[in-house]
Amino acid sequence: MYPEYMVAPIREDLTSAGFEQLMTPEEVEQALSTKEGTVLVAINSVCGCAASKARPALKMAVASADQKPDKMITVFAGMEADAVAKAREYMLPYPPSSPSIALFKDGELVHMIERYHIEGNELNRIVDNLKGAFEAYC
């Protein structure tokens, strides 16, 4: 776990863009057990690829997309371990990955972006990937 003063600005990077920070497994279950609408999930992290690509791509995609998810949530890897573990249960069969981004529609996982899609990719390609998923499913 990291000191909260270190992660507070990292949390705010997404919450200021409209993401709801979930802290408990119960909150995650409530958000992801819905069978109607779309939910975008960001597993946030302190790593460099989260700072330079994942969070900026999420914010850019949400800000510029014509179609957007109904709900946007985030959990923080390395902090709320139980909440992250619960979110990852919904992301199976994908292995744990931080950062990562998942889109659910009507309770089903329909799009997944793993860390290796983020760290080795250009920012605009990640944005386009997200916007394409929004157009297809939202």
Side-chain angles (χ1 to χ4, degrees):
M1 296 209 8
Y2 303 98
E4 183 59 35
Y5 73 86
M6 283 181 59
V7 299
I10 300 170
R11 290 184 200 278
E12 187 177 339
D13 199 16
L14 289 180
T15 59
S16 67
F19 284 78
E20 180 184 358
Q21 175 70 54
L22 303 184
M23 308 295 274
T24 69
E26 294 79 17
E27 290 174 331
V28 172
E29 187 165 356
Q30 182 178 8
L32 294 181
S33 64
T34 182
K35 300 296 182 199
E36 293 183 15
T38 52
V39 181
L40 181 63
V41 181
I43 295 190
N44 204 350
S45 171
V46 298
C47 73
C49 65
S52 67
K53 296 187 180 174
R55 290 191 303 272
L58 284 160
K59 294 186 300 184
M60 290 169 67
V62 168
S64 63
D66 292 329
Q67 296 172 274
K68 300 175 184 175
D70 298 315
K71 184 172 185 118
M72 300 182 304
I73 65 171
T74 182
V75 292
F76 206 109
M79 293 300 290
E80 292 77 39
D82 294 339
V84 172
K86 180 54 79 176
R88 287 178 172 156
E89 286 178 19
Y90 285 89
M91 296 175 189
L92 290 172
Y94 293 95
S97 176
S98 302
S100 60
I101 303 164
L103 181 64
F104 293 83
K105 180 174 182 165
D106 299 335
E108 298 292 323
L109 178 62
V110 294
H111 192 75
M112 184 74 184
I113 300 176
E114 298 176 82
R115 179 187 176 106
Y116 77 91
H117 295 121
I118 297 168
E119 65 185 342
N121 219 332
E122 295 177 18
L123 178 61
N124 287 334
R125 290 186 67 183
I126 302 166
V127 172
D128 290 344
N129 181 313
L130 286 166
K131 287 173 67 173
F134 297 167
E135 289 172 19
Y137 299 108
C138 295

